[in-house]
Amino acid sequence: MSERVELDLDAFVATEYPKVVAAVGLITGNRQDAADAVQDAIVGFLAKPPSREITNVAAWITVVASNRVRDLQRSKAAEARALAKIGVADESVEDALDTLDIDVKAAIETLPLQQKQVCVLHYLLDQSVETIAEGLGVSVGTIKTQLHRARKALAAQLRKEDHRG
């Protein structure tokens, strides 16, 4: 990363960050996701700086973050439409998640994606190993392996959370 980009970003964080978060919240109407989107834009700026020179880092990050929030809103709206189409209310989805113990929910979140998928499908949605394998396009053995690894990881995580280790 060039020294100029680093200085621009340091100056942005020191002086412009709160204003940009507020601006993104105002533009998108979603203040809760604005800070996350701005941070994601900063990470993107650091990971892969734009090919052209950016003269106004605050403006660039505001645009990128606003686009990310709008993408998230579109994604959530599509999910809500899909759930409505099959007759599942958003509240019932949240209610189902609220029945989980907070430590179990947190432990599931730490799993790698495939383990999380098979764990949720098998234990929360009562899907058979065969059904999950067919749905994910993998072998039954792969699902069994992922379930085994997920159980081990969850047990270790929950023991750590229980502080009895």
Side-chain angles (χ1 to χ4, degrees):
M1 176 171 42
S2 76
E3 198 172 312
R4 175 161 162 50
V5 169
E6 206 169 302
L7 289 173
D8 287 349
L9 201 54
D10 288 343
F12 165 77
V13 171
T15 60
E16 303 291 327
Y17 178 82
K19 290 186 244 177
V20 169
V21 171
V24 171
L26 188 60
I27 290 167
T28 62
N30 188 335
R31 293 171 64 183
Q32 291 85 4
D33 292 333
D36 287 341
V38 170
Q39 291 168 14
D40 286 346
I42 292 169
V43 169
F45 187 85
L46 289 170
K48 187 177 178 199
S51 55
R52 61 180 170 72
E53 185 177 345
I54 303 299
T55 56
N56 187 335
V57 174
W60 187 88
I61 289 179
T62 300
V63 170
V64 170
S66 296
N67 289 341
R68 287 179 194 238
V69 172
R70 281 198 297 273
D71 288 346
L72 181 62
Q73 289 170 334
R74 280 192 288 269
S75 182
K76 285 180 180 178
E79 180 182 351
R81 285 191 304 274
L83 289 173
K85 196 179 248 184
I86 60 172
V88 177
D90 279 341
E91 296 80 33
S92 65
V93 172
E94 290 302 317
D95 290 345
L97 290 176
D98 288 341
T99 62
L100 284 177
D101 179 86
I102 191 167
D103 292 333
V104 171
K105 194 185 310 184
I108 289 171
E109 286 297 319
T110 66
L111 294 174
L113 178 61
Q114 190 171 19
Q115 289 178 22
K116 189 183 311 184
Q117 285 175 326
V118 297
C119 191
V120 168
L121 288 168
H122 188 68
Y123 294 113
L124 300 180
L125 297 179
D126 293 322
Q127 298 291 312
S128 70
V129 169
E130 293 78 14
T131 302
I132 297 168
E134 182 181 324
L136 294 178
V138 298
S139 71
V140 168
T142 298
I143 299 303
K144 288 179 179 179
T145 299
Q146 293 300 320
L147 282 171
H148 175 73
R149 290 176 181 164
R151 281 192 300 271
K152 282 180 64 175
L154 289 172
Q157 183 70 21
L158 291 171
R159 267 195 303 276
K160 188 167 63 175
E161 291 295 323
D162 194 21
H163 302 292
R164 287 187 275 182

